[in-house]
Amino acid sequence: MGRAFLVVMDSVGIGGAPDADAYFNGTVPDTGANTLGHIIDACAAGAADQGRSGPLAVPTLDQIGLREVMALAAGGTASSTRSGVATEQSRGKDTPSGHWELAGVPVPWDWHYFPNDTRAFPSDVVQAVCDAAGTDGILGNCHSSGTDIITLHGPEHIKTGWPICYTSADSVFQIAAHEEHFGLDRLLNLCATVAPKLHEMRVGRVIARPFIGDAGSFQRTGNRKDYAITPPAPVLSNWVQDAGRHVYGVGKVGDIFSMQGFDEVHKGNDATLMTHLSDLVDSAEDGSLTFANFVEFDSLYGHRRDVAGYARHLEWFDSEIGKLRARLRPDDLLVLTADHGNDPTWVGTDHTRERVPVLVDGYNGTPLGLMGFVDVASLVAQHLGVSPK
């Protein structure tokens, strides 16, 4: 019985969605954003040669149809490839919206976003954090880059014990704390305690952001944990599990779905996750679903507007997927897609509202062409012979 491997290349968009003009980075609409296209342009112009050089080299993705679907996303004619271009219907450009819809359930509500003011959070939220943490206050209380805010407030956090709370253009409430001075378990318990209140407000995720080190050399660790709202209906992983099949998570996908429909989850940085994914190609059960997310495209390179780093990561990913692809069974399905964009050449540091590629290997149906995010779930479900619940 064939297996399915659904792999999300976090933020690898391929051009502005039809409604991109309604989404902004600061005051600039996302119209014209194109994560992959602009990286390819930068590489061709010699503007992304740090740690690599020359045109972007992704032969595996190209073989599956990447350049053809990019042309289709740009308004070209229907591609001869079986792969497709997906457009999101949920109102957002964030991780939960993208992943839930890829798994078959569009978000039925508007997320709550915090204002980009001097004090981003309402007093009752601040008080709830203080009560749960046992502190007299919080640090941050603003929109910020995660690395910037721990550099700015890390020393004071160590001195006072106050948690560092911040947000972004996404519907998130993030809490950073030092693993040794504050305690990792204490941070995770704090996030778990305040998450229900934030979820009632339709804030999509409360994210624990632990870090280590000393002033001037703070580093975030791999012990991040997302406390996400539970999807409002069964998703792809539930459909597969309800059919008596095994579901493997690789990366943060278990957290995104509040562990609904996952039998086991493997975590780590992207290099470690690739090892887990490779191992599952060899060991995953017949009829199973492996759902993976590779986040560092987004977290390390998109948000930090690092074009060369993003290009290096794409080339690394392409090489590793090429090795893995060669070991897939004849009846396996591999789907490579994304959840939103994060154009490192664009203004600001936020996600960009883009269409995404749907690159498929092991699919012999008609060309997918233009499609919706939800059609990805249907494609995988059909391959596995399971039905939506």
Side-chain angles (χ1 to χ4, degrees), residues 24-290:
F24 292 82
N25 266 260
T27 60
V28 179
D30 286 343
T31 309
N34 188 331
T35 299
L36 194 51
H38 288 157
I39 292 170
I40 289 172
D41 291 345
C43 291
D49 284 353
Q50 295 81 19
R52 60 164 307 283
S53 63
L56 184 71
V58 285
T60 300
L61 300 183
D62 284 343
Q63 187 175 8
I64 307 175
L66 177 61
R67 307 289 170 144
E68 293 176 326
V69 299
M70 289 181 68
L72 183 59
T77 57
S79 169
S80 61
T81 180
R82 289 188 172 87
S83 296
V85 175
T87 301
E88 185 175 9
Q89 71 181 71
S90 300
R91 297 182 295 273
K93 52 176 181 175
D94 53 81
T95 294
S97 297
H99 281 77
W100 289 9
E101 193 167 328
L102 289 169
V105 178
V107 178
W109 54 67
D110 289 325
W111 296 110
H112 177 84
Y113 301 95
F114 293 108
N116 193 2
D117 296 333
T118 303
R119 295 183 181 276
F121 308 127
S123 58
D124 61 323
V125 170
V126 173
Q127 190 60 53
V129 175
C130 292
D131 291 345
T135 60
D136 295 328
I138 65 171
L139 302 171
N141 198 351
C142 61
H143 282 235
S144 178
S145 153
T147 52
D148 289 347
I149 205 163
I150 64 173
T151 298
L152 177 63
H153 290 297
E156 187 178 2
H157 161 72
I158 291 173
K159 180 179 179 181
T160 64
W162 290 10
I164 304 170
C165 301
Y166 64 104
T167 188
S168 70
D170 290 343
S171 180
V172 294
F173 186 85
Q174 305 190 75
I175 306 178
H178 199 284
E179 286 196 1
E180 297 171 358
H181 295 279
F182 190 89
L184 177 59
D185 288 342
R186 184 183 174 197
L187 172 61
L188 298 179
N189 289 334
L190 169 61
C191 291
T193 299
V194 301
K197 179 178 181 64
L198 276 299
H199 292 166
E200 288 178 2
M201 298 168 60
R202 296 303 191 202
V203 176
R205 289 175 293 164
V206 174
I207 306 177
R209 291 287 199 172
F211 64 96
I212 57 173
D214 302 313
S217 60
F218 292 127
Q219 294 182 346
R220 294 196 294 193
T221 75
N223 291 320
R224 161 185 171 158
K225 184 172 176 61
D226 294 37
Y227 296 82
I229 294 179
T230 301
V235 295
L236 174 64
S237 55
N238 297 118
W239 310 343
V240 176
Q241 202 175 58
D242 290 347
R245 316 284 185 75
H246 205 81
V247 180
Y248 306 89
V250 177
K252 65 179 184 178
V253 287
D255 293 340
I256 295 168
F257 293 96
S258 298
M259 287 303 296
Q260 297 297 305
F262 289 86
D263 293 292
E264 57 185 90
V265 174
H266 305 270
K267 292 188 173 184
N269 60 23
D270 276 9
T272 300
L273 296 181
M274 189 61 76
T275 299
H276 290 314
L277 182 59
S278 178
D279 290 343
L280 287 168
V281 167
D282 294 330
S283 64
E285 294 181 8
D286 289 350
S288 64
L289 167 66
T290 296

Side-chain angles (χ1 to χ4, degrees), residues 219-375:
Q219 294 182 346
R220 294 196 294 193
T221 75
N223 291 320
R224 161 185 171 158
K225 184 172 176 61
D226 294 37
Y227 296 82
I229 294 179
T230 301
V235 295
L236 174 64
S237 55
N238 297 118
W239 310 343
V240 176
Q241 202 175 58
D242 290 347
R245 316 284 185 75
H246 205 81
V247 180
Y248 306 89
V250 177
K252 65 179 184 178
V253 287
D255 293 340
I256 295 168
F257 293 96
S258 298
M259 287 303 296
Q260 297 297 305
F262 289 86
D263 293 292
E264 57 185 90
V265 174
H266 305 270
K267 292 188 173 184
N269 60 23
D270 276 9
T272 300
L273 296 181
M274 189 61 76
T275 299
H276 290 314
L277 182 59
S278 178
D279 290 343
L280 287 168
V281 167
D282 294 330
S283 64
E285 294 181 8
D286 289 350
S288 64
L289 167 66
T290 296
F291 197 165
N293 171 285
F294 287 83
V295 71
E296 290 177 3
F297 297 107
D298 187 56
S299 63
L300 296 186
Y301 308 114
H303 285 301
R304 299 183 190 183
R305 296 304 187 244
D306 181 353
V307 180
Y310 209 128
R312 290 195 306 272
H313 207 58
L314 283 165
E315 291 174 337
W316 165 81
F317 179 85
D318 185 89
S319 175
E320 295 300 315
I321 289 295
K323 300 172 190 174
L324 175 155
R325 182 185 176 215
R327 302 189 347 260
L328 291 171
R329 301 174 187 172
D331 55 355
D332 285 340
L333 175 72
L334 172 66
V335 180
L336 305 174
T337 187
D339 53 344
H340 49 71
N342 197 341
D343 187 341
T345 73
W346 210 241
V347 298
T349 60
D350 298 330
H351 295 156
T352 42
R353 177 78 168 183
E354 297 183 46
R355 285 171 161 160
V356 301
V358 182
L359 306 178
V360 292
D361 201 20
Y363 167 68
N364 296 314
T366 58
L368 298 174
L370 298 177
M371 56 192 297
F373 277 34
V374 293
D375 296 323

